[in-house]
Every structure is written in structure tokens, then in C-alpha cells.
Amino acid sequence: LNPQQYEQMKLGDWRILIALGEITSALLFLFPKTNRYGAILLSSYMGGAIVAHMISGISIIMPSVVLILVWVGFYLRTPDFFKVK
């Protein structure tokens, strides 16, 4: 998002905290030991981004695509997670 979109969503004061949360979640997602936690946090983050975009009238395509890529990446990296034991 650009600064104008953050202001449009009334999140201008939260930009740094949002960015830190996104970076932390992405780093957790990258490492195999914390992959599950990163996937959960990124899913939550992207869900919130989709809701914020919907409320503000901004297109939800980008956060939706990122969310799908997180899920696909998680499945490809840990397919055993989805098997019923």
C-alpha cells in the first residue's frame, strides 16, 4: 500500500507497527521450525487486510492473492500437516 491508502483506511499512524508485524510473520514463515506459526500469523494478517480493504472500498485482489500463496506455500512445504493420522 502507498501512504495515501493507509490514510484512506485511517491506519496512517499504524504503518510501522503493521510493517513490523508483516515482516515478523514472514520471517517465521520462512524457517521450517516456525513455519506453522508464520502461516497462521500471515493468514490472520491477510484476513485483516482483506477486511480493511473491503471497508475502505479498495480492491481485495492483492491481499487475497497473497493469502492464497501463503496457503499453497505452506501446503507445499509441509504436506504431512494435512494428513489425517
Side-chain angles (χ1 to χ4, degrees):
L1 292 176
N2 60 38
Q4 291 81 16
Q5 287 175 323
Y6 276 107
E7 293 299 329
Q8 181 181 354
M9 291 188 285
K10 297 181 178 36
L11 295 172
D13 296 336
W14 295 92
R15 282 187 308 204
I16 294 174
L17 187 60
I18 291 169
L20 289 173
E22 186 176 5
I23 291 167
T24 302
S25 301
L27 287 173
L28 288 172
F29 184 69
L30 288 176
F31 296 106
K33 286 187 176 183
T34 58
N35 189 17
R36 293 177 182 175
Y37 304 114
I40 290 169
L41 288 172
L42 283 173
S43 294
S44 301
Y45 177 85
M46 286 298 124
I50 290 169
V51 170
H53 280 69
M54 290 171 70
I55 291 171
S56 301
I58 300 172
S59 173
I60 64 168
I61 292 173
M62 192 56 151
S64 299
V65 168
V66 173
L67 180 59
I68 291 168
L69 289 174
V70 166
W71 290 341
V72 169
F74 181 69
Y75 175 75
L76 292 175
R77 291 180 70 189
T78 55
D80 293 338
F81 181 79
F82 297 96
K83 291 185 180 172
V84 179
K85 295 179 182 178

